[in-house]
Amino acid sequence: MDEAEDRSRLLQRYAAVRRRSLEIAAPLGAEDQAVQSMPDASPTKWHLAHQSWFFETLVLQPLDAAYRVHDERWARLFNSYYEALGPRHPRPQRGLLTRPSLAEVHAYREAVDQALARFVDRAGSDAARRAAPLIELGIQHEQQHQELMLTDILHLMSLNPMRPAVLAGAPPAAPDAPPSNWIRHAGGLVEVGHAGPGFAFDNETPRHTVLLQPHALASRLVSNAEYAQFVDDGGYDRVDLWLSEGWALRQAQGWSAPPYWLADGCEFTLHGVQPRDPARAVRHLSFFEAAAYAQWAGARLPTEFEWEAAVAGVQPPPDAYGEVWQWTRSSYDPYPRFVAAPGAVGEYNGKFMVGQLVLRGSSCATPRGHERVSYRNFFPPAARWQFSGLRLARDL
Amino acid sequence: MDEAEDRSRLLQRYAAVRRRSLEIAAPLGAEDQAVQSMPDASPTKWHLAHQSWFFETLVLQPLDAAYRVHDERWARLFNSYYEALGPRHPRPQRGLLTRPSLAEVHAYREAVDQALARFVDRAGSDAARRAAPLIELGIQHEQQHQELMLTDILHLMSLNPMRPAVLAGAPPAAPDAPPSNWIRHAGGLVEVGHAGPGFAFDNETPRHTVLLQPHALASRLVSNAEYAQFVDDGGYDRVDLWLSEGWALRQAQGWSAPPYWLADGCEFTLHGVQPRDPARAVRHLSFFEAAAYAQWAGARLPTEFEWEAAVAGVQPPPDAYGEVWQWTRSSYDPYPRFVAAPGAVGEYNGKFMVGQLVLRGSSCATPRGHERVSYRNFFPPAARWQFSGLRLARDL
Amino acid sequence: MDEAEDRSRLLQRYAAVRRRSLEIAAPLGAEDQAVQSMPDASPTKWHLAHQSWFFETLVLQPLDAAYRVHDERWARLFNSYYEALGPRHPRPQRGLLTRPSLAEVHAYREAVDQALARFVDRAGSDAARRAAPLIELGIQHEQQHQELMLTDILHLMSLNPMRPAVLAGAPPAAPDAPPSNWIRHAGGLVEVGHAGPGFAFDNETPRHTVLLQPHALASRLVSNAEYAQFVDDGGYDRVDLWLSEGWALRQAQGWSAPPYWLADGCEFTLHGVQPRDPARAVRHLSFFEAAAYAQWAGARLPTEFEWEAAVAGVQPPPDAYGEVWQWTRSSYDPYPRFVAAPGAVGEYNGKFMVGQLVLRGSSCATPRGHERVSYRNFFPPAARWQFSGLRLARDL
Amino acid sequence: MDEAEDRSRLLQRYAAVRRRSLEIAAPLGAEDQAVQSMPDASPTKWHLAHQSWFFETLVLQPLDAAYRVHDERWARLFNSYYEALGPRHPRPQRGLLTRPSLAEVHAYREAVDQALARFVDRAGSDAARRAAPLIELGIQHEQQHQELMLTDILHLMSLNPMRPAVLAGAPPAAPDAPPSNWIRHAGGLVEVGHAGPGFAFDNETPRHTVLLQPHALASRLVSNAEYAQFVDDGGYDRVDLWLSEGWALRQAQGWSAPPYWLADGCEFTLHGVQPRDPARAVRHLSFFEAAAYAQWAGARLPTEFEWEAAVAGVQPPPDAYGEVWQWTRSSYDPYPRFVAAPGAVGEYNGKFMVGQLVLRGSSCATPRGHERVSYRNFFPPAARWQFSGLRLARDL
């Protein structure tokens, strides 16, 4: 494949992913896209601008001498957390940015898209070679924010007493949940982490060897029906099932079921209030709830490497991706010999490696093709607004 | 004047005031109108809906048998604080209501306007007679919220690092501040409170006699230039000038000037960043700042009755209205024999009569014709986002 | 009476009041005296030291050239709120001061007592004349803190699940509550404020004329039995009875009765858990509860001047003093022509004149002889840990 | 060794450890022992009572039929966090418990000591066999609280502006710090965890195999002198050195050096203000500070297993114990096949296994003989009031 074809493919992929962000936002009004429901979430409009800021700041500004910054005042507004790139508008105040308007953000996206297309077309070989991994990083970054756009807007709508539907119609039906089997693993040394040559985030590297204990993994995720048994059995009232910090949260915030569960077997979704499908994977669990369920079920959560070994194995479980992110019992620690890159790119993952847990797989909100066997998603144990559930494991 | 003419005048007045609310919102985008900048402020869209809810709930529902509620789910959303009218969406979460959309709120306003016009046209004499004071209350209520729309949007924009201008062009210039004289009053018994027959809020009644001490009132408000002298003289650093609670706030929040003052003699306004006019009345002061200034100036704040006596007097001071609300040294206590009306209307004022201070006059944001010599505005002493300043007084 | 006799009397009075502080603390262990139960309360040991600091700082240091400060580091620890006297240990951290020990504070008291006695004995006429009002102020100040010692220790003990008794035995029985009559007043101009020549705080001055409306005052305080009817009638659940801020507090903190009321007709007291005497005045009410009760009873709270006129009248109500402080409907505003003294003494009262309500009378915890018809006690409307109740009033 | 001798030895060991707790408290007054300086710390008196409660509740009550509970009301007061043992007094309010007094707690200790001695003397073989591991657990538990007594009292005294010394005299001098070498390890499979047969906490088990990477460990801890270079080099101002959450804390709380460092090369200690010994291990670091230092030094923190392998090795580093606890880069996760015991004992460690980091070694405040190569201490990453420092590691 020659270089021109490479460039063309990259641009096609870029354009497709960029288009997808706008498709996700399309059912939302300007007001829906402006408001921030909690400090952890961001307005849709902010996501749309931040995605563009990423390409502008990490690709166009350093590599395209001809590029003129769209609006210099915006760097401060749409920088998420990159200390190396200057001061930032406080995260909890993203929802105050009624200006720039959504129309101005759309124009920003178009300007960046045109500049990036022109740059990729015209850049010399050397600049193009240096740009390609950064553009790929920007694409992956945009996909991550596509998932956040969905989880954040769901959270916002859940706080509206009218429970509005963002998406028309009913969600696609899930097939019946098959019986759950145990996928056994004899333990021993296995290789984990990104094996190349495609894209991976730095936190998936270096590939290295780990030692697994003999264990078994459930062949599918815990379903709504199963989780309802835990709820009905008083799982939220049995302190012996809970980690100490989780129990304190459950008490302080009055948890008694997953956050979007409603009475009468319904739940709140992007399609508004819907009957809760018993066969579908339970979702919007915190790590604490996932761990308590596993305790109740006489099992445990898998480690991230048990998960990776199973999914990389000969017969990977059929529901590894596309349902819900799966909490693991692994703290989000750096891999051996992990070193963050210098500069802003190095802030992408490394500086968050404490106090969080690894989730594996992908969810119904993850863009197709974004998933990967070595992918390490991570969230604090109390996070509930993501599409997060669990798969059981046990010792052999 | 016959009854038909009465009805026609009422409707004309209603229509004009309703139209004015939309004019105020006109320069704002849908996003600007959706966001809430702090718990004390409300989104423009919420104001627009709440004004309509007031007419719907206090006039149409109880008096117009033909009226059908626009959307029953909205009562909860747009009830501000009337306990008698059922549960309410939490005040600090008004900014989460991206739905109903601004377009839906506009349709709501139109539906209420049509229903009210039809009702006033067709109501029997008795219903019309009962409706008239409630409609007038609704009009006055709508005007109060027109002022809040302006103060709230100014606050929101002030938190945007880009300092956007809501209104185009420059603000109208103020004439030079004339020298300030002392208007002397010999004290003695005076009548205060609403004297009828026009509209007044219940907190201005009953009219009653109070005893004034001999005193003098400044003939005009404290200007930006004068307040700048206080700032330059270290007024924000001299603890002896401040009430204890005010000093604690000044320390905790780092106050060093009025909230919208900027460097280089500028200030943030609805017209964006503008040169600070030295002659114009200083504004956006808390009670604590007003009281500290008066202490620094060797004077004091007037009582609300000293103000009322002066403005009701033979030669009222020329700047009683239309500049800034004037903090008084009077706590917002009930007048002798004040009794709140039964039901929801009684919650309008009475239940707030503790912990607040009275402001008199009116501001540049007050709708023309809304001011009144007996008018009692009130805010907590820490409030700074209103158009609030001061006039000096002293003992004789 | 000659000057020597004046000095001797002053010292006797000083010694008696100082002794009384130690008597109040006597039933408490060193641990009881060290701990602070909330930011509004102070440890007994801190009170004991602060009382001495007051004499040391306002009398001995400025007037007695021979006096050597007991420990220079303590000025910072035991200054309560006098900005003119330098930096202060943060109020919420008074309970962290395990050092100096109680024994060291006792030694401090003795050192100050000896120095003050020697100073009063030996001072020249001029110094003695200047010292006398400051020593009297210190005595009155010490008495105010004696009441706080009792309210603060009661609050601390109430948080101990074992509900310990500070005082042995049962409290003295109260006589039956007589029927309540209405003491009528025709209104008109009356003189209020301190009439001299004895001691008064500056906030009771200047004496001035006020205009009263015709009204009636209840001849006695609201009793436990009467307040229990309010509770039983759902008074804590009827939002229409409450001021808005009071209702918010009641909701947030789950108020359903006075704070020290227990089940089964008991209450927590300095004598531990005791049967609640139906005839005794209800106590530990916030202003919000007092106002709600009055609303429920079809009455209102008196103004501070109605109270003063009645108690200064020909037939003062028999229970004006010694039961509970009586909330009035008067905000704690300065009297006309009130000016705080310059320097530290001026901080005693004036800087707190906003956001508080006046209470009149005195309580069972007030030292005998400390009460006065013009006395203005004041607390924020939410305060419940004082011995505070109410008397009804109504318009005529 | 026969059973009688076993019993006698156990009792001797019990008595010695119990005595040591009182020795630690001996320099403190009753007030010092009553106050709680922050929610994470407990009053000395509470520690003394809780240690006794542990023996009473986990040994005497279940196993000694003759035992009568000392005071039934105290179970609630002195249960720390055992949900299985009933409701608990809220942790942040331990400092409000002025009753029971210190004298009563001393009597409680004596009563428990006598009962336990009698029980061990007289128990049947079966009961004695069941009691022995619980008594040992209680002894270890008491030792853990001995260290907390010291760290908690140091924290309390550090908040007293007079900076009082708890211990008389100067601290023992430290020898010069030898040059630091790198102890190399080739990596590979190693056994970790408690190897028996002595006592260990459940979190050190099961012993299992882990895979180490080739690495080197510093032969000694980072010293005050070295850490001062980091401070002088602007280590607290270089955001690139810090984990994101650590930087946020550093900003919010204004960290610029270890918490007890003072100006002029001094530090606050149990001996009061002392010159900071350059050769001594730096202490009172949070994990965030330890990690930032390692980053600055071009190294990293060791994993807990690298530490354990080195200390279990042929030539263990000489300063493994007795200086400061050493932060590792290992999250406090359960070991493979770890299962908490049923009942109260199972709450000892397992329920805290999220969001914390492992520290290894022991500190100058750890009782002699309490340390162990497999010991896993753990604290949240922000904790600074422990004797905690670091040792560097690097990859080979």
Side-chain angles (χ1 to χ4, degrees):
Chain A
M1 190 163 58
D2 67 5
E3 194 190 302
E5 200 177 330
D6 281 356
R7 295 190 189 202
S8 165
R9 284 204 182 188
L10 183 63
L11 273 186
Q12 276 175 35
R13 178 162 153 70
Y14 170 87
V17 169
R18 294 282 285 172
R19 202 178 310 120
R20 178 70 192 130
S21 297
L22 294 178
E23 287 168 8
I24 291 171
L28 304 172
E31 296 150 270
D32 298 329
Q33 299 190 47
V35 169
Q36 179 175 30
S37 61
M38 62 167 170
D40 283 340
S42 297
T44 303
K45 184 175 75 175
W46 188 91
H47 285 298
L48 292 175
H50 168 67
Q51 292 162 328
S52 300
W53 168 88
F54 194 93
F55 287 108
E56 182 181 51
T57 309
L58 292 173
V59 179
L60 292 171
Q61 280 193 266
L63 298 175
D64 181 359
Y67 183 73
R68 292 291 161 269
V69 170
H70 188 72
D71 189 318
E72 290 189 348
R73 302 170 303 170
W74 294 9
R76 180 189 208 101
L77 304 184
F78 300 124
N79 178 356
S80 52
Y81 56 65
Y82 296 88
E83 302 274 356
L85 298 172
R88 291 160 310 291
H89 188 68
R91 180 180 183 120
Q93 297 177 24
R94 289 177 184 165
L96 299 178
L97 300 173
T98 60
R99 314 282 176 98
S101 68
L102 181 57
E104 290 173 297
V105 166
H106 283 168
Y108 179 34
R109 290 184 67 90
E110 280 168 34
V112 166
D113 287 352
Q114 287 173 15
L116 197 118
R118 191 169 42 215
F119 167 65
V120 171
D121 268 356
R122 305 185 187 172
S125 285
D126 189 56
R129 206 165 35 241
R130 280 193 289 146
L134 290 167
I135 293 173
E136 180 60 34
L137 180 63
I139 289 171
Q140 300 279 344
H141 170 263
E142 179 124 0
Q143 288 182 312
Q144 290 188 310
H145 279 275
Q146 286 170 358
E147 177 149 8
L148 293 176
M149 287 164 72
L150 290 165
T151 58
D152 292 0
I153 201 72
L154 175 60
H155 185 261
L156 170 63
M157 292 297 166
S158 78
L159 298 176
N160 190 319
M162 299 196 302
R163 305 195 185 286
V166 165
L167 303 179
D176 282 357
S180 185
N181 304 317
W182 291 105
I183 307 174
R184 300 164 69 92
H185 191 291
L189 295 172
V190 300
E191 296 285 302
V192 295
H194 182 58
F199 174 85
F201 289 111
D202 59 354
N203 62 5
E204 304 165 45
T205 65
R207 187 162 172 88
H208 64 289
T209 308
V210 296
L211 177 63
L212 297 186
Q213 305 292 321
H215 67 276
L217 239 66
S219 60
R220 65 162 172 77
L221 305 180
V222 171
S223 68
N224 276 327
E226 287 160 339
Y227 198 82
Q229 288 180 318
F230 167 73
V231 174
D232 293 344
D233 193 39
Y236 280 84
D237 299 315
R238 283 183 50 194
V239 62
D240 60 303
L241 301 175
W242 290 71
L243 287 158
S244 181
E245 186 186 340
W247 182 253
L249 266 174
R250 175 257 171 273
Q251 296 290 86
Q253 304 188 5
W255 294 353
S256 61
Y260 299 149
W261 280 26
L262 305 171
D264 299 326
C266 288
E267 65 181 335
F268 183 68
T269 74
L270 290 169
H271 296 266
V273 177
Q274 294 288 339
R276 203 162 61 227
D277 186 337
R280 181 158 283 164
V282 61
R283 53 197 184 179
H284 302 298
L285 298 188
S286 65
F287 170 79
F288 296 119
E289 289 160 294
Y293 177 88
Q295 185 77 5
W296 172 81
R300 60 168 174 84
L301 295 176
T303 69
E304 59 169 322
F305 302 128
E306 290 168 350
W307 190 95
E308 187 167 337
V311 173
V314 193
Q315 279 195 306
D319 61 357
Y321 304 113
E323 283 285 325
V324 294
W325 289 98
Q326 300 158 51
W327 285 108
T328 73
R329 194 56 175 93
S330 298
S331 296
Y332 181 49
D333 289 336
Y335 280 178
R337 298 175 187 277
F338 169 79
V339 180
V345 167
E347 297 186 51
Y348 202 102
N349 282 306
K351 70 181 185 183
F352 302 110
M353 288 180 173
V354 70
Q356 311 211 41
L357 281 296
V358 174
L359 301 99
R360 292 298 193 112
S362 70
S363 86
C364 55
T366 313
R368 288 292 163 84
H370 185 69
E371 71 278 1
R372 194 162 47 247
V373 69
S374 60
Y375 203 108
R376 304 175 83 199
N377 200 354
F378 54 92
F379 277 96
R384 304 177 96 197
W385 90 110
Q386 295 298 305
F387 291 91
S388 49
L390 79 150
R391 173 193 306 277
L392 294 177
R394 61 183 177 86
D395 297 317
L396 287 186
Chain B
M1 190 164 59
D2 68 6
E3 194 190 304
E5 198 176 332
D6 281 354
R7 295 190 189 202
S8 163
R9 286 203 181 189
L10 183 62
L11 273 187
Q12 276 174 36
R13 179 163 151 70
Y14 170 87
V17 169
R18 294 283 284 172
R19 203 178 309 121
R20 178 70 192 130
S21 296
L22 294 178
E23 287 168 8
I24 290 171
L28 303 172
E31 296 150 87
D32 298 330
Q33 299 191 44
V35 169
Q36 180 175 31
S37 61
M38 62 167 171
D40 283 340
S42 296
T44 303
K45 184 175 76 176
W46 188 92
H47 284 300
L48 292 175
H50 168 66
Q51 291 162 330
S52 300
W53 168 89
F54 194 93
F55 286 108
E56 182 181 51
T57 308
L58 292 174
V59 180
L60 292 171
Q61 280 192 266
L63 297 177
D64 181 358
Y67 183 73
R68 292 292 161 268
V69 171
H70 188 72
D71 190 319
E72 289 189 347
R73 302 169 303 169
W74 294 9
R76 180 188 207 100
L77 304 184
F78 300 123
N79 177 356
S80 52
Y81 56 64
Y82 296 88
E83 303 275 356
L85 298 172
R88 291 160 310 292
H89 188 67
R91 179 179 185 119
Q93 296 178 23
R94 288 177 185 166
L96 299 178
L97 300 174
T98 60
R99 314 281 177 97
S101 68
L102 180 58
E104 290 173 300
V105 167
H106 283 166
Y108 179 34
R109 290 184 68 89
E110 280 168 34
V112 165
D113 287 353
Q114 287 173 15
L116 197 119
R118 192 168 43 217
F119 167 66
V120 171
D121 268 355
R122 304 187 187 171
S125 285
D126 189 56
R129 205 165 35 241
R130 280 192 290 145
L134 290 166
I135 294 173
E136 181 60 35
L137 179 63
I139 289 171
Q140 299 280 344
H141 170 263
E142 180 125 0
Q143 289 182 311
Q144 290 188 312
H145 279 274
Q146 286 170 359
E147 177 149 8
L148 294 175
M149 286 164 72
L150 289 165
T151 58
D152 293 359
I153 200 71
L154 175 61
H155 185 261
L156 171 63
M157 292 297 166
S158 78
L159 299 175
N160 190 319
M162 299 196 302
R163 305 195 185 286
V166 165
L167 302 178
D176 282 357
S180 184
N181 305 316
W182 290 106
I183 307 174
R184 301 164 68 93
H185 191 291
L189 295 172
V190 299
E191 297 286 302
V192 296
H194 182 58
F199 174 84
F201 288 111
D202 59 355
N203 63 3
E204 305 165 44
T205 66
R207 187 163 173 86
H208 64 290
T209 307
V210 296
L211 176 62
L212 298 188
Q213 306 290 322
H215 67 276
L217 238 66
S219 60
R220 65 162 172 76
L221 306 181
V222 171
S223 68
N224 276 327
E226 287 160 340
Y227 198 81
Q229 289 182 318
F230 167 73
V231 174
D232 293 344
D233 192 41
Y236 280 83
D237 299 316
R238 283 183 50 194
V239 62
D240 59 303
L241 301 175
W242 290 72
L243 287 159
S244 180
E245 185 186 341
W247 183 253
L249 265 174
R250 175 256 170 273
Q251 297 290 85
Q253 305 187 5
W255 294 354
S256 62
Y260 299 149
W261 281 26
L262 305 171
D264 298 327
C266 288
E267 67 181 333
F268 183 69
T269 74
L270 290 169
H271 295 267
V273 177
Q274 294 288 339
R276 204 161 60 227
D277 187 336
R280 181 159 283 163
V282 63
R283 51 197 186 180
H284 302 298
L285 298 188
S286 66
F287 170 78
F288 296 119
E289 289 160 296
Y293 178 89
Q295 186 78 4
W296 173 82
R300 61 169 174 83
L301 294 176
T303 69
E304 61 169 320
F305 302 128
E306 290 168 349
W307 190 96
E308 186 167 337
V311 174
V314 193
Q315 278 195 306
D319 62 357
Y321 305 112
E323 283 285 324
V324 293
W325 289 98
Q326 299 159 53
W327 285 108
T328 73
R329 195 55 175 93
S330 297
S331 296
Y332 181 48
D333 289 336
Y335 280 179
R337 297 176 186 277
F338 170 78
V339 180
V345 167
E347 297 186 52
Y348 202 102
N349 283 305
K351 71 182 184 181
F352 302 110
M353 288 179 173
V354 71
Q356 312 211 41
L357 280 296
V358 174
L359 301 99
R360 291 299 193 109
S362 70
S363 87
C364 55
T366 313
R368 288 292 164 84
H370 185 70
E371 70 278 1
R372 194 162 46 248
V373 68
S374 59
Y375 202 106
R376 303 175 83 199
N377 200 353
F378 54 92
F379 278 95
R384 301 176 99 198
W385 91 111
Q386 295 298 306
F387 290 92
S388 48
L390 78 150
R391 173 194 305 278
L392 294 177
R394 61 182 178 85
D395 298 316
L396 287 186
Chain C
M1 189 164 56
D2 69 6
E3 192 190 302
E5 198 176 330
D6 281 355
R7 294 190 189 203
S8 164
R9 286 204 181 188
L10 183 62
L11 273 186
Q12 276 176 34
R13 177 163 154 68
Y14 171 86
V17 168
R18 294 282 284 171
R19 204 180 309 121
R20 179 69 192 131
S21 296
L22 294 178
E23 288 168 7
I24 290 171
L28 303 172
E31 296 148 270
D32 298 330
Q33 299 190 46
V35 169
Q36 179 175 31
S37 60
M38 62 167 171
D40 283 341
S42 296
T44 303
K45 184 174 75 174
W46 188 92
H47 284 300
L48 293 175
H50 168 67
Q51 291 163 331
S52 301
W53 168 89
F54 194 93
F55 287 108
E56 182 181 51
T57 309
L58 292 173
V59 180
L60 293 171
Q61 280 193 265
L63 297 175
D64 181 359
Y67 183 73
R68 291 292 161 269
V69 170
H70 188 72
D71 189 318
E72 289 189 346
R73 301 171 303 171
W74 295 7
R76 180 189 208 99
L77 304 184
F78 300 124
N79 178 356
S80 51
Y81 57 65
Y82 297 88
E83 303 274 357
L85 298 173
R88 291 158 311 289
H89 188 69
R91 180 180 185 121
Q93 297 178 23
R94 290 177 183 166
L96 299 178
L97 299 173
T98 61
R99 315 282 178 95
S101 69
L102 181 57
E104 290 173 299
V105 166
H106 283 167
Y108 179 34
R109 290 184 68 89
E110 280 168 33
V112 166
D113 288 351
Q114 288 172 15
L116 197 120
R118 191 168 44 217
F119 167 66
V120 171
D121 267 356
R122 303 186 188 172
S125 285
D126 188 55
R129 205 166 34 242
R130 279 192 291 145
L134 290 166
I135 294 173
E136 181 59 35
L137 180 63
I139 290 171
Q140 299 279 346
H141 171 263
E142 179 124 0
Q143 289 182 312
Q144 290 188 311
H145 278 275
Q146 286 170 358
E147 177 149 7
L148 293 176
M149 286 164 72
L150 289 166
T151 58
D152 292 359
I153 200 71
L154 175 60
H155 185 261
L156 171 62
M157 292 297 167
S158 78
L159 299 176
N160 190 317
M162 299 196 304
R163 305 194 184 285
V166 166
L167 302 177
D176 282 356
S180 184
N181 303 316
W182 291 105
I183 307 174
R184 301 165 68 93
H185 191 293
L189 295 172
V190 299
E191 297 285 302
V192 296
H194 181 59
F199 174 85
F201 289 111
D202 59 355
N203 62 5
E204 306 165 44
T205 66
R207 187 163 172 87
H208 64 289
T209 308
V210 296
L211 176 64
L212 298 187
Q213 305 291 323
H215 67 276
L217 239 66
S219 61
R220 65 162 171 76
L221 305 180
V222 171
S223 69
N224 276 327
E226 287 161 339
Y227 198 81
Q229 290 182 317
F230 166 72
V231 174
D232 293 345
D233 192 40
Y236 281 83
D237 298 316
R238 282 184 49 194
V239 61
D240 60 303
L241 301 174
W242 291 71
L243 287 158
S244 180
E245 186 185 340
W247 183 253
L249 266 174
R250 175 255 169 275
Q251 296 290 86
Q253 305 189 4
W255 294 354
S256 61
Y260 299 150
W261 280 27
L262 304 171
D264 299 327
C266 288
E267 65 181 335
F268 183 68
T269 74
L270 290 169
H271 295 267
V273 177
Q274 295 288 340
R276 203 161 61 227
D277 187 335
R280 182 157 282 164
V282 62
R283 51 197 185 179
H284 302 299
L285 297 188
S286 65
F287 169 79
F288 296 119
E289 289 160 296
Y293 177 88
Q295 186 77 5
W296 173 82
R300 61 171 173 82
L301 295 175
T303 69
E304 61 169 322
F305 302 128
E306 290 168 350
W307 189 97
E308 187 166 337
V311 174
V314 195
Q315 278 194 307
D319 61 358
Y321 305 113
E323 283 285 324
V324 294
W325 289 98
Q326 300 158 52
W327 285 108
T328 71
R329 193 59 176 90
S330 298
S331 296
Y332 181 48
D333 289 336
Y335 281 179
R337 296 172 187 279
F338 169 79
V339 180
V345 168
E347 297 187 51
Y348 203 101
N349 281 306
K351 71 182 184 181
F352 302 110
M353 288 179 174
V354 71
Q356 311 211 41
L357 281 296
V358 174
L359 300 99
R360 292 298 194 112
S362 70
S363 86
C364 55
T366 313
R368 287 293 162 83
H370 185 69
E371 70 280 0
R372 193 162 47 248
V373 68
S374 59
Y375 203 107
R376 305 175 82 200
N377 200 353
F378 55 92
F379 277 95
R384 302 176 97 197
W385 91 110
Q386 295 298 305
F387 290 92
S388 47
L390 79 151
R391 174 195 304 278
L392 294 177
R394 61 182 177 88
D395 298 317
L396 287 185
Chain D
M1 191 164 59
D2 67 4
E3 192 190 305
E5 199 175 329
D6 281 355
R7 295 190 189 203
S8 164
R9 285 204 181 188
L10 183 62
L11 273 186
Q12 276 174 37
R13 178 163 152 70
Y14 170 87
V17 169
R18 294 282 284 172
R19 204 179 308 121
R20 178 69 192 133
S21 297
L22 294 177
E23 287 167 8
I24 290 171
L28 303 172
E31 296 149 89
D32 298 330
Q33 299 190 46
V35 169
Q36 179 175 30
S37 60
M38 62 168 170
D40 283 340
S42 296
T44 305
K45 184 175 77 176
W46 188 91
H47 284 299
L48 292 174
H50 168 66
Q51 292 163 329
S52 301
W53 168 88
F54 194 93
F55 287 108
E56 183 181 51
T57 308
L58 292 175
V59 180
L60 293 171
Q61 279 192 265
L63 296 176
D64 181 359
Y67 183 74
R68 291 291 161 270
V69 171
H70 188 73
D71 189 318
E72 290 188 347
R73 301 170 303 169
W74 294 8
R76 178 189 209 101
L77 304 183
F78 300 123
N79 177 356
S80 51
Y81 55 65
Y82 297 89
E83 303 274 357
L85 298 173
R88 290 159 310 290
H89 188 68
R91 180 179 185 122
Q93 296 178 22
R94 289 177 184 166
L96 299 178
L97 299 174
T98 61
R99 314 280 177 96
S101 68
L102 181 57
E104 290 172 298
V105 166
H106 283 167
Y108 179 34
R109 290 184 68 89
E110 281 169 34
V112 165
D113 287 352
Q114 287 173 15
L116 196 120
R118 191 169 43 216
F119 167 66
V120 171
D121 268 354
R122 304 187 186 170
S125 286
D126 188 56
R129 207 166 34 241
R130 279 191 291 145
L134 290 166
I135 294 172
E136 181 59 34
L137 179 63
I139 289 171
Q140 299 280 345
H141 170 263
E142 180 124 1
Q143 290 182 310
Q144 290 188 310
H145 278 274
Q146 286 170 358
E147 177 149 7
L148 293 176
M149 287 163 72
L150 290 165
T151 58
D152 293 359
I153 200 72
L154 176 60
H155 185 260
L156 171 62
M157 292 298 167
S158 78
L159 298 176
N160 190 318
M162 299 196 303
R163 304 195 185 285
V166 165
L167 302 178
D176 282 357
S180 184
N181 303 316
W182 291 106
I183 307 174
R184 300 166 67 93
H185 191 292
L189 295 171
V190 299
E191 297 286 302
V192 295
H194 182 58
F199 173 85
F201 289 110
D202 58 355
N203 63 4
E204 306 165 43
T205 66
R207 187 163 173 86
H208 65 289
T209 307
V210 296
L211 176 64
L212 298 187
Q213 306 291 323
H215 67 276
L217 238 66
S219 61
R220 66 162 172 76
L221 306 180
V222 171
S223 68
N224 276 327
E226 288 161 339
Y227 197 82
Q229 289 182 317
F230 166 73
V231 174
D232 294 344
D233 193 40
Y236 280 84
D237 298 316
R238 281 184 49 194
V239 61
D240 59 304
L241 300 175
W242 291 71
L243 287 159
S244 180
E245 185 185 340
W247 182 253
L249 265 174
R250 174 255 170 276
Q251 297 290 85
Q253 304 188 7
W255 294 353
S256 61
Y260 299 150
W261 281 27
L262 304 171
D264 298 327
C266 288
E267 66 180 335
F268 184 69
T269 75
L270 290 168
H271 296 267
V273 177
Q274 295 288 340
R276 203 161 61 228
D277 188 334
R280 182 158 283 163
V282 62
R283 51 197 185 180
H284 302 298
L285 298 188
S286 65
F287 169 79
F288 296 118
E289 288 160 297
Y293 178 87
Q295 185 77 5
W296 172 81
R300 61 168 173 84
L301 295 176
T303 69
E304 61 169 320
F305 302 128
E306 290 168 349
W307 190 96
E308 187 167 337
V311 173
V314 193
Q315 278 194 305
D319 60 358
Y321 305 112
E323 283 283 326
V324 294
W325 289 98
Q326 299 158 53
W327 286 108
T328 72
R329 194 56 176 92
S330 298
S331 295
Y332 181 47
D333 289 335
Y335 280 178
R337 296 176 187 277
F338 169 78
V339 180
V345 168
E347 297 186 51
Y348 201 102
N349 282 306
K351 71 182 184 183
F352 302 109
M353 288 179 174
V354 71
Q356 311 211 41
L357 281 296
V358 174
L359 301 98
R360 292 298 194 114
S362 70
S363 86
C364 56
T366 313
R368 289 291 164 84
H370 184 68
E371 69 278 0
R372 194 163 46 248
V373 68
S374 59
Y375 203 106
R376 304 175 83 200
N377 200 354
F378 55 93
F379 278 95
R384 304 176 97 197
W385 90 111
Q386 296 299 305
F387 291 92
S388 48
L390 78 150
R391 173 193 306 277
L392 294 176
R394 61 182 177 86
D395 298 316
L396 287 186

